[in-house]
Amino acid sequence: MKVKVKNSISKLFVFTTVLTLILCQSISIFAAGNLSSKTIEPISTISSLESAESESSNEAFITEDDKKWIKNNMIDTKDVELNELGLERVNKARASRGLGKLTASVEFGQEVKESSSSIDEGNPKMKLANRTSSEVLPSSVDNSLLDAFPPIENQGVQGSCVAFSTTYYQMTHMTALVKGWNTKNTDLTNKFSPAWTYNITKAAGPNTGTGFSRAFNLLKNSGCVFWSDFPYYPNSSTGYKAWPTDRSLWEKALNYRIDKMGYIDFSDGTDTPIENENDENLTAIKKMLANGYVLTFGTYIDSWRYCTAGDESVCYMVRGAQGDHAMTIVGYSDDITFDANLNGIIDPGEKGAFKVVNSFGSNWMRNGYVWLAYDALNWVPKIPSNPNVYGGIFTDPPERR
């Protein structure tokens, strides 16, 4: 995801669902400009997000109200501890390298270290307090394989991608992970309803989208109900008009509310914060994924540029501003390699990617999944341009705005 501002900032949003006690914690991700800057036109951002079939709305990407809401409601997360699942995965990676086991872990939902730093401050290179030379993270993680992660769904003709990423995929997975639910089935009584979030928070008019701040605000204050309680109809162009008028639904939703929210800034004040697959600016994100979390983010899906890695498709660059869309990161791999510039070698930047799930159904890309290269997070790619390829691929990046 590339950003049309001088200093790119990519942030993760963390939220915790509660019943009467904290049940689980999950994350969303978006890329945005410095929230103190007057330049507010990032390529990947929280915005009014549309489905692939619809046109973008004219809603501002990040409004002043969005900034205030983020500052007032989000935790500036600077480091992440390992929970029991993360510790198990890390110890397996350590054992493969002949290293001894670690024993310290925190309870699920307590992994995030809070910071009092303002999100409007500068962006010094993130130094993780508990990172040592002996720390080893798994080379790959895939949380879509866990029983808690639900099946691929299709948002259909409605612009409900934010609701699918935050509510159907993210909230379902994180709650199921803590409660021990198996959601890999057609049972809709344990999967949260994207219709609930979309219908209540969407912008006025047909085929318009909603923003992450509105979605999280609803989930924080009013909670959510399951798909079986408030069904989603992907092929209905008027499905968004349904409104939950039954008092019992609102009362049930209060049992599943957000408790805490935050963000992780992995920029370092440069145009290329991610130097390689082992860059420490990726560590907090990888830790959250290793801990079993899934992450949501906003991007321009029609501006993704793809290459291949064997049988897999990899987005190596976001070039343009077409197709506002929200998706979900379910894992990562430091081992995946690709030759984006077609020079016959694996250059810096052509290794490592996040595994992403979409809401376009299982026929999209590879069974509904695609890879997003770490290098695609940079404004200026680490992958060198190849003048022998039409356009050089990486020459003349889009003008900053």
Side-chain angles (χ1 to χ4, degrees):
M1 293 165 281
K2 296 178 177 34
V3 182
K4 296 180 180 178
V5 291
K6 185 172 183 180
N7 291 320
S8 65
I9 301 179
S10 297
K11 300 180 186 295
L12 296 176
F13 278 91
V14 184
F15 72 89
T16 306
T17 60
V18 297
L19 189 51
T20 53
L21 298 174
I22 291 179
L23 294 179
C24 61
Q25 190 169 30
S26 56
I27 300 181
S28 70
I29 180 174
F30 73 88
N34 189 323
L35 297 186
S36 63
S37 171
K38 295 182 179 180
T39 305
I40 311 172
E41 192 167 354
I43 288 185
S44 304
T45 183
I46 53 175
S47 62
S48 180
L49 302 174
E50 308 291 71
S51 71
E53 293 95 355
S54 61
E55 297 180 358
S56 299
S57 71
N58 294 320
E59 184 176 343
F61 282 119
I62 304 178
T63 66
E64 291 300 319
D65 287 340
D66 282 326
K67 297 179 193 177
K68 292 178 182 178
W69 192 89
I70 291 169
K71 291 178 67 175
N72 291 335
N73 293 276
M74 300 290 182
I75 299 168
D76 183 0
T77 304
K78 291 300 184 184
D79 198 9
V80 177
E81 300 285 3
L82 295 174
N83 60 26
E84 186 176 349
L85 175 59
L87 183 66
E88 177 184 347
R89 286 170 162 176
V90 165
N91 278 334
K92 185 176 295 185
R94 290 176 63 86
S96 68
R97 303 185 189 186
L99 300 174
K101 287 186 176 182
L102 302 178
T103 58
S105 66
V106 298
E107 293 183 3
F108 204 95
Q110 303 300 318
E111 302 93 343
V112 175
K113 288 187 176 181
E114 299 184 19
S115 169
S116 60
S117 301
S118 168
I119 57 178
D120 282 339
E121 292 176 354
N123 308 307
K125 192 170 183 66
M126 188 165 54
K127 298 296 184 182
L128 302 177
N130 70 344
R131 182 172 175 83
T132 67
S133 59
S134 63
E135 184 175 84
V136 175
L137 290 175
S139 62
S140 65
V141 164
D142 188 352
N143 292 321
S144 70
L145 301 178
L146 298 176
D147 289 342
F149 195 76
I152 303 296
E153 280 291 348
N154 195 333
Q155 67 187 68
V157 299
Q158 301 184 52
S160 53
C161 51
V162 168
F164 267 89
S165 62
T166 62
T167 307
Y168 174 72
Y169 287 125
Q170 190 175 53
M171 197 163 182
T172 295
H173 171 79
M174 298 311 302
T175 304
L177 190 63
V178 173
K179 300 290 285 183
W181 298 342
N182 186 332
T183 66
K184 292 194 178 304
N185 47 54
T186 58
D187 181 6
L188 299 179
T189 64
N190 59 5
K191 300 172 181 65
F192 288 102
S193 172
W196 174 271
T197 303
Y198 180 59
N199 293 14
I200 294 174
T201 66
K202 72 180 295 295
N207 292 328
T208 55
T210 188
F212 280 114
S213 60
R214 291 197 298 273
F216 284 135
N217 199 33
L218 172 70
L219 297 174
K220 175 180 174 62
N221 293 306
S222 299
C224 190
V225 296
F226 296 107
W227 193 306
S228 56
D229 299 314
F230 196 70
Y232 180 85
Y233 301 102
N235 297 320
S236 172
S237 60
T238 59
Y240 67 90
K241 294 182 178 181
W243 188 262
T245 57
D246 189 335
R247 176 175 176 173
S248 65
L249 288 181
W250 291 92
E251 292 175 343
K252 183 174 183 178
L254 291 175
N255 291 319
Y256 302 95
R257 288 181 291 170
I258 290 173
D259 179 54
K260 294 186 291 187
M261 297 171 287
Y263 63 91
I264 300 173
D265 177 3
F266 59 78
S267 68
D268 63 0
T270 72
D271 289 330
T272 309
I274 309 303
E275 294 288 334
N276 54 58
E277 71 276 12
N278 297 313
D279 197 293
E280 68 175 17
N281 288 323
L282 294 172
T283 301
I285 306 171
K286 290 179 179 179
K287 279 187 174 181
M288 295 307 297
L289 291 167
N291 281 334
Y293 289 54
V294 296
L295 325 174
T296 63
F297 68 101
T299 187
Y300 287 113
I301 188 64
D302 293 338
S303 296
W304 281 30
R305 299 295 178 261
Y306 299 91
C307 62
T308 59
D311 295 332
E312 305 284 351
S313 294
V314 179
C315 169
Y316 65 86
M317 171 183 282
V318 181
R319 188 180 181 88
Q322 300 298 317
D324 302 11
H325 194 51
M327 303 166 80
T328 306
I329 297 174
V330 297
Y332 70 87
S333 174
D334 295 337
D335 301 322
I336 190 169
T337 59
F338 44 92
D339 185 16
N341 60 8
L342 303 178
N343 66 354
I345 60 176
I346 303 302
D347 293 302
E350 293 182 327
K351 186 177 182 183
F354 297 111
K355 186 175 183 180
V356 174
V357 63
N358 203 355
S359 52
F360 289 168
S362 58
N363 291 327
W364 184 82
M365 288 299 176
R366 189 171 180 83
N367 301 319
Y369 294 90
V370 72
W371 292 93
L372 175 65
Y374 299 152
D375 195 56
L377 301 178
N378 293 322
W379 163 248
V380 175
K382 192 69 177 177
I383 304 173
S385 177
N386 182 357
N388 296 320
V389 177
Y390 177 75
I393 295 185
F394 306 113
T395 59
D396 302 325
E399 180 182 357
R400 297 177 186 275
R401 301 179 185 178

